[in-house]
Amino acid sequence: MKDEFGEKFIVIIVVILGIWVLFLFYNFVKEVYDSLNSYFFDRIPVTRFALRLRKLSLADSAILQQTFPYYNRLTHKQQLFFNHRVIIFLEHYRIHGRNITVTKEMALTISGTYIMLTFGFREFLSKSFQNIIVYPSAYPSSVSDDFHKGEFNPATKSVVFSWEDFILGHKIENDNLNLGIHEFTHVLHFDSKRFQNANARLFKKHFNQILALLTQEEYRQKVEDAALFRAYSKTNEFEFLAVLVEHFFESPVNLKTQLPDLYFAVERLLNYERS
């Protein structure tokens, strides 16, 4: 009996070790594959596949169709995968209302914004935040007398929005003021400095190319002459990128025409496929 138990125990250990070795080999192959694609093609292939594709209700899908022109440009297969990611996002993060009730439409609009921004990411969930806090309007800062419209706070692992400003930026599609895109870009930028996965490396690589462009006096003058970006973009490199990504989504033709180097840098750092 003891010998039989010992044999079963050894078999179990061998199976576990085998699975572990296969897992390590898979990650090694994926890392090499991603590195080769990133080096030769400046892209990371994203497979629109899930072992169990989660499905939104027809009512929830209709909300995405009504509120996201981007969503309507996707193929049916891409929309199903977009829906799947929205569900995963809503299960992974908690959305809290402060003096406001967070409705299903609000939650879908917030999650849809993040999924749109990260649709080219293989590992799209960020470990840098856990909670999304929503205020009815601009809210007082915890460290000053200023009122904020939104922020990403890595210390508290929170993204905070004024709903009034979030939804206004979402509904007006060409003013290049989109609070959701802006704050979630800060999250991705922070992740690129903190992590070493394939998308983080690609993000960092092309952001450094943007910085290199901006160190050239002639190119800085070109950016000034184009007069595309609001003054707030000059605050620091983080705000410049967040404003630039707002333009990439809301005024892509204008950005591509006037500052194509910046347009293609954003396209690559987001691993983005224009629908």
Side-chain angles (χ1 to χ4, degrees):
M1 181 68 73
K2 289 183 179 180
D3 289 343
E4 184 178 345
F5 175 79
E7 290 175 0
K8 288 182 178 179
F9 180 76
I10 292 172
V11 169
I12 292 171
I13 294 298
V14 170
V15 169
I16 292 173
L17 285 174
I19 293 172
W20 182 65
V21 169
L22 286 173
F23 176 76
L24 291 177
F25 180 72
Y26 167 77
N27 279 288
F28 171 76
V29 171
K30 185 177 72 170
E31 188 69 21
V32 172
Y33 179 66
D34 287 344
S35 296
L36 289 173
N37 274 281
S38 177
Y39 182 80
F40 289 108
F41 305 109
D42 240 358
R43 295 197 60 80
I44 298 168
V46 180
T47 305
R48 311 296 184 196
F49 170 79
L51 289 176
R52 186 168 70 91
L53 197 66
R54 309 286 294 280
K55 295 183 180 181
L56 279 177
S57 67
L58 292 177
D60 289 350
S61 295
I63 290 174
L64 294 178
Q65 290 172 350
Q66 292 162 11
T67 57
F68 283 95
Y70 170 87
Y71 182 84
N72 294 316
R73 292 193 294 269
L74 298 175
T75 65
H76 179 65
K77 181 180 179 181
Q78 289 172 331
Q79 286 180 351
L80 292 177
F81 196 72
F82 190 100
N83 294 352
H84 169 80
R85 285 194 165 187
V86 164
I87 293 172
I88 299 300
F89 179 94
L90 291 173
E91 290 179 348
H92 192 80
Y93 302 109
R94 296 184 64 189
I95 304 178
H96 309 269
R98 298 282 173 85
N99 301 317
I100 187 174
T101 300
V102 177
T103 65
K104 174 58 75 70
E105 183 171 351
M106 291 166 65
L108 287 169
T109 306
I110 291 170
S111 59
T113 299
Y114 182 88
I115 300 307
M116 177 180 71
L117 190 61
T118 60
F119 206 52
F121 284 44
R122 180 180 293 149
E123 300 173 29
F124 70 102
L125 294 175
S126 171
K127 298 176 182 177
S128 298
F129 74 99
Q130 296 173 342
N131 300 295
I132 298 170
I133 300 170
V134 182
Y135 287 88
S137 55
Y139 54 92
S141 167
S142 59
V143 295
S144 70
D145 295 329
D146 296 333
F147 276 73
H148 291 183
K149 296 179 180 180
E151 64 185 278
F152 162 52
N153 189 329
T156 60
K157 292 198 167 186
S158 299
V159 179
V160 189
F161 296 120
S162 151
W163 181 249
E164 178 181 69
D165 295 286
F166 184 101
I167 196 62
L168 182 64
H170 182 74
K171 286 182 175 179
I172 303 175
E173 300 167 7
N174 59 357
D175 65 348
N176 304 307
L177 290 167
N178 189 304
L179 185 62
I181 289 175
H182 190 100
E183 298 304 333
F184 283 138
T185 296
H186 285 325
V187 172
L188 302 182
H189 194 170
F190 182 80
D191 283 353
S192 75
K193 293 178 175 292
R194 183 182 176 198
F195 302 112
Q196 286 298 320
N197 60 58
N199 280 109
R201 293 198 305 270
L202 195 67
F203 193 106
K204 184 186 300 182
K205 172 185 174 182
H206 290 292
F207 177 66
N208 287 337
Q209 289 180 356
I210 291 172
L211 292 181
L213 284 171
L214 296 176
T215 61
Q216 302 170 23
E217 185 175 345
E218 183 179 348
Y219 197 83
R220 285 202 308 274
Q221 189 58 52
K222 183 177 181 180
V223 173
E224 286 286 335
D225 293 342
L228 293 181
F229 310 127
R230 61 187 185 272
Y232 189 61
S233 67
K234 298 179 182 179
T235 305
N236 54 48
E237 64 184 45
F238 299 95
E239 298 303 342
F240 180 83
L241 179 62
V243 171
L244 174 59
V245 175
E246 289 176 277
H247 279 260
F248 178 82
F249 279 96
E250 297 214 337
S251 302
V253 175
N254 201 18
L255 179 62
K256 187 175 183 180
T257 301
Q258 297 199 53
L259 298 168
D261 293 329
L262 292 181
Y263 173 90
F264 287 114
V266 174
E267 184 179 69
R268 292 178 183 124
L269 69 81
L270 293 177
N271 202 41
Y272 187 83
E273 295 178 5
R274 183 67 65 182
S275 300

